[in-house]
Amino acid sequence: MFDGINLFFANALRWIYGWVGSYGWSVVIFTFMIRLVILPLTAKSRKGMRSMTKVQPKMAELQKKYANDKEKLNQKTMELYKKEGVSPMAGCLPMLLQWPILIFMFTAMRVVANEYTVQMLLDMQNGIMPNLQGWLWIKNVFQPDSFMATILPAAGSALPTIQTVGYSSILTAENLETVRAFLQTEQYAAIAAQYGANAFMQIPLNFIFIAPTLTLPNSFYALTHYANGLFLLPLLAGLSQFLMTKIMNPEQKMTEAEKIAKQQQETNAMNSNFMKWFFPLFSVWICATSNSAFSIYWMAVNIISIGETVVLNKIFDAQDARQSAKAAMDSHK
């Protein structure tokens, strides 16, 4: 079952690539398509989260009133949820759905990346120079966006172990063995050197710390011409993840009852603060260690989610305003 879903995602990427001719932009388009499909669930999730926020003052009063009677507190909490039409689980489904989609996309892009890399290496062995898939500042989207990553796979390296059955006619055990052997040859080392592999490895560490030395111009040239990327996607992914967390969980003014309830939930608060910083840092790490195509997906998801949250909040605010106005008119009749 999972292999079939992975294959569907990989084929969808290939199909979009057939139209736009760029795997970088194919990932962006595919991300928009995925977010569009799950938009109804996302809207339902955001609405459920807003409903939970609205009942927080009443929840705080209950927590204060029944602080020493947990059973009564749970009973009154369920009654409050039923009265207000609030479901604590309403916002969970879309979030849970995003994780399997994330895993399927990661697997699909790894398959497409390995397929493209294997075909490129087979062509190079036959004297055909590599046709790189660039995107904006990235020279090869199937390598990490980093100043520590080379444009082509490092000479002498071994390709990662991958599943070969059912995904592609290119990813066969025979082809993998062929390209692994090719990576060990002087022929490949010479081609890699043309793309700056040797010069790249000689970039002095003092450039990383921006030390003013005589080698700085040469280091800058090597960095911008021979490194695959500039580490922008990992940084943008971490920043967008942080902004998304801030937008989805804005700081709110609390009543005295809410402050008391918050003091009674110090452990939950600590967990919340931990997650607020964990996910941005995790985003930086996963994008720094994955191919750039997956990093593009991760960043695009964050940016689209921020846009969805802003637009949906405006829609919900307008709905709340109309309901408040209607209630005010009804009360004066």
Side-chain angles (χ1 to χ4, degrees), residues 296-316:
I296 293 169
Y297 169 75
W298 191 289
M299 183 188 68
V301 166
N302 289 345
I303 293 175
I304 295 170
S305 295
I306 291 172
E308 287 175 345
T309 301
V310 171
V311 173
L312 289 173
N313 282 344
K314 289 184 179 295
I315 293 173
F316 294 146

Side-chain angles (χ1 to χ4, degrees), residues 247-320:
I247 291 174
M248 293 180 64
N249 302 284
E251 297 289 338
Q252 297 179 343
K253 294 182 180 179
M254 294 183 293
T255 63
E256 192 62 33
E258 290 175 306
K259 290 179 181 178
I260 294 173
K262 184 176 181 180
Q263 291 173 358
Q264 294 172 346
Q265 298 175 339
E266 289 182 356
T267 302
N268 291 337
M270 289 176 60
N271 290 336
S272 176
N273 286 330
F274 170 76
M275 298 308 287
K276 180 175 69 175
W277 292 106
F278 169 77
F279 278 116
L281 292 175
F282 178 73
S283 296
V284 173
W285 175 79
I286 195 70
C287 290
T289 56
S290 302
N291 65 60
S292 298
F294 181 74
S295 301
I296 293 169
Y297 169 75
W298 191 289
M299 183 188 68
V301 166
N302 289 345
I303 293 175
I304 295 170
S305 295
I306 291 172
E308 287 175 345
T309 301
V310 171
V311 173
L312 289 173
N313 282 344
K314 289 184 179 295
I315 293 173
F316 294 146
D317 288 342
Q319 290 176 349
D320 291 344

